[in-house]
Amino acid sequence: MSAAGRDTPPAIEARGLSKRYGPLAAIDGIDLTVPVGQWVVVLGHNGAGKSTLLRMLATLLHPTGGNLRLFGAEAGRSDAAPLRRRIGFLSHQTFLYGHLTARENLEFYARLYGLADPEGAALEAIGAARLSHRQDDRVATYSRGMQQRLAIARALLHRPDLILLDEPFTGLDRESSSRLEDRLRQARGTGCTCVMATHDQGQGLRAADRVLGLSDGRLTLDAPSRGLDPSRLDDLLHGSSPAPPPRAS
Amino acid sequence: MTYLRAVLLVAEKDLKVELRSREQVVTLLFFALLVLVVFNFAFDFTVIDFVTLGPGVLWVAFIFSGVLAISRSFQIEREQDRIQGILLAPIDRSAFYLGKVAATVLFMAAVETILVPVAVVMFNFRFNSQTALVVLAFILNTIGFAAVGTLFAAMTTSTRRAELLLPLLLFPAAVPVALAAVKTTTHLLAGHPFAAYSHWVLMSAAYDVIFLAAAVLLFDEALEE
């Protein structure tokens, strides 16, 4: 690693990160460091805390305990707005307005992010999503796969440094999933950091450098994805096999 | 992006969505007209002076249609988790609040603009008040209602029973603005001098300032789950 690389603060640095709803701990004291450029997949059963963790990393939820730094900056209540410019968030919900066209949707978000040329940025993103032929059609008339492609375009519109993906493959057919994987590969080429929560272990392992397992709000697995046997992953996630030593980061 | 541009962007988006769907204004208008028709049948306005009951009738229609407007405004944001898309943007979250208030005021004002002439004809009322003061009173009270309603709608939007909770929270808090609205309108319709009801107008203005300021300061907290 170069000297400049060593000086670069991690994309994500969480210490004792917690989110409690009354007596329920959705996230329970997570310590996590993700270097810039790393792609991480978070696996876990329903209710394990994956979405809560991602929403905290996106500054949509405020921690009830611990500390979160993104790119070296405190992700507190008052400091989060400039940080959000560096975050792209995609879930299985599209965040798109069905009554607006693809172009209107992306121009709206481009303006919200203060992009210099919102019209140009929207058209470029629509082109990258291969939806130029439908750019002036209302999003409600799109298929689920097309909507998700547009949602990816929305999430990447402002060229974020940190991409957060919450079950992005949910509801997609094979072709749309494959297109999404292609788009993510392109995004990976830009050197951005990514954290993806998914149920699909195969897709997760293909996309990521590192695997995190989450259960009841706690990290139960932290291992490099390379060489990890998908058939052993279930055992590792549910604790019937000893987990590999946590990755040094 | 400046704060004002963010406010205008959110309001413009709401108006654009409404112009395409026409769900909100049509629903509000029909609901408000229905209220007028029901009251027209319930009371004999050839015997009862419209000034006595009319302001109450009008504001019942405006307030209930306003609740529908505010509720629908946040329902749109809940679908597809769109609210998260906006909250992720690098803007001050209170700009989102003020944009929502602005759009709601415009929707309510559109309904009021149509409803008042309809009421004048329906109740055979000779409208000879000072129009500028009527407009001012309606705007002040509509802003107050939209300000408090939008804040409570934001607070309840992530709950499972948002439609139930919103009126439960909103109506008690909106009592001062409802009272001021009805009293001001009564005085205006009766043709009283401004001095007779200036305190109600001041109360509406103070309510607007207090709730808008409090909401701008508290909106980030209000959205927290």
Side-chain angles (χ1 to χ4, degrees), chain A residues 1-24:
Chain A
M1 189 183 278
S2 68
R6 279 195 300 274
D7 292 342
T8 307
I12 299 167
E13 195 174 12
R15 292 287 166 264
L17 196 65
S18 303
K19 181 69 183 176
R20 300 189 74 89
Y21 296 97
L24 176 76

Side-chain angles (χ1 to χ4, degrees), chain A:
Chain A
M1 189 183 278
S2 68
R6 279 195 300 274
D7 292 342
T8 307
I12 299 167
E13 195 174 12
R15 292 287 166 264
L17 196 65
S18 303
K19 181 69 183 176
R20 300 189 74 89
Y21 296 97
L24 176 76
I27 294 293
D28 196 0
I30 283 182
D31 293 323
L32 175 67
T33 303
V34 179
V36 169
Q38 191 173 65
W39 280 51
V40 179
V41 63
V42 184
L43 301 172
H45 55 76
N46 286 337
K50 303 188 296 295
S51 293
T52 305
L53 176 62
L54 257 66
R55 285 152 61 91
M56 288 168 81
L57 297 179
T59 74
L60 285 169
L61 283 179
H62 300 297
T64 50
N67 178 267
L68 175 65
R69 295 178 78 84
L70 300 175
F71 301 103
E74 193 76 37
R77 228 171 255 267
S78 56
D79 325 304
L83 273 177
R84 289 199 292 266
R85 194 182 301 279
R86 303 183 70 177
I87 298 170
F89 188 90
L90 176 69
S91 79
H92 53 281
Q93 303 281 23
T94 64
F95 303 172
L96 298 169
Y97 294 87
H99 286 292
L100 301 184
T101 67
R103 194 156 67 164
E104 287 168 337
N105 266 290
L106 293 203
E107 280 183 17
F108 169 64
Y109 280 108
R111 290 199 168 93
L112 272 185
Y113 279 86
L115 301 190
D117 176 17
E119 293 89 357
L123 289 178
E124 190 187 330
I126 291 168
R130 285 182 274 174
L131 289 167
S132 298
H133 61 297
R134 298 284 307 272
Q135 66 185 24
D136 292 320
D137 292 345
R138 292 185 192 190
V139 169
T141 65
Y142 285 19
S143 68
R144 167 81 182 116
M146 290 167 77
Q147 288 191 16
Q148 191 66 347
R149 271 152 60 197
L150 192 62
I152 299 160
R154 177 203 53 75
L156 303 179
L157 184 68
H158 56 291
R159 302 181 195 283
D161 298 317
L162 173 62
I163 303 174
L164 302 168
L165 307 169
D166 188 7
E167 308 280 3
F169 297 98
T170 301
L172 294 184
D173 59 25
R174 187 175 291 182
E175 191 192 337
S176 301
S177 293
S178 166
R179 281 187 173 170
L180 173 54
E181 283 191 82
D182 286 347
R183 192 71 188 87
L184 293 178
R185 262 193 292 275
Q186 285 173 19
R188 192 170 189 174
T190 64
C192 59
T193 310
C194 176
V195 180
M196 173 167 69
T198 182
H199 283 294
D200 191 322
Q201 296 177 356
Q203 265 159 337
L205 284 177
R206 278 198 299 279
D209 306 310
R210 179 179 172 190
V211 181
L212 300 179
L214 205 59
S215 179
D216 297 330
R218 292 186 184 147
L219 277 185
T220 54
L221 172 70
D222 185 351
S225 62
R226 184 170 293 186
L228 201 60
D229 182 0
S231 60
R232 237 191 108 218
L233 202 53
D234 264 333
D235 295 339
L236 289 171
L237 282 170
H238 299 110
S240 54
S241 295
R247 183 190 176 89
S249 48

Side-chain angles (χ1 to χ4, degrees), chain B residues 59 62 101 105 108-109 112 132-148 174 176-178 180-182 184-185 188 194 197-212:
Chain B
W59 280 100
F62 297 158
V101 171
V105 168
M108 288 180 71
E112 290 165 11
L133 278 175
V134 172
V135 171
L136 173 71
F138 276 36
I139 287 176
L140 276 180
N141 291 301
T142 303
I143 289 174
F145 188 75
V148 66
V177 79
V182 171
T184 308
T185 310
L188 276 165
F194 181 71
Y197 57 90
S198 59
H199 57 290
W200 290 114
V201 176
L202 284 175
M203 183 175 155
S204 301
Y207 186 94
D208 291 3
V209 171
I210 289 167
F211 261 99
L212 285 172

Side-chain angles (χ1 to χ4, degrees), chain B residues 69-105:
Chain B
I70 293 162
S71 180
R72 175 69 190 145
S73 170
F74 274 84
Q75 189 190 335
I76 289 170
E77 303 299 349
R78 270 200 306 276
E79 290 167 5
Q80 288 296 331
D81 248 351
R82 291 164 189 141
I83 191 167
Q84 307 288 2
I86 294 177
L87 298 182
L88 276 163
I91 59 167
D92 192 314
R93 285 172 173 172
S94 62
F96 169 61
Y97 164 78
L98 289 179
K100 281 279 175 198
V101 171
T104 304
V105 168

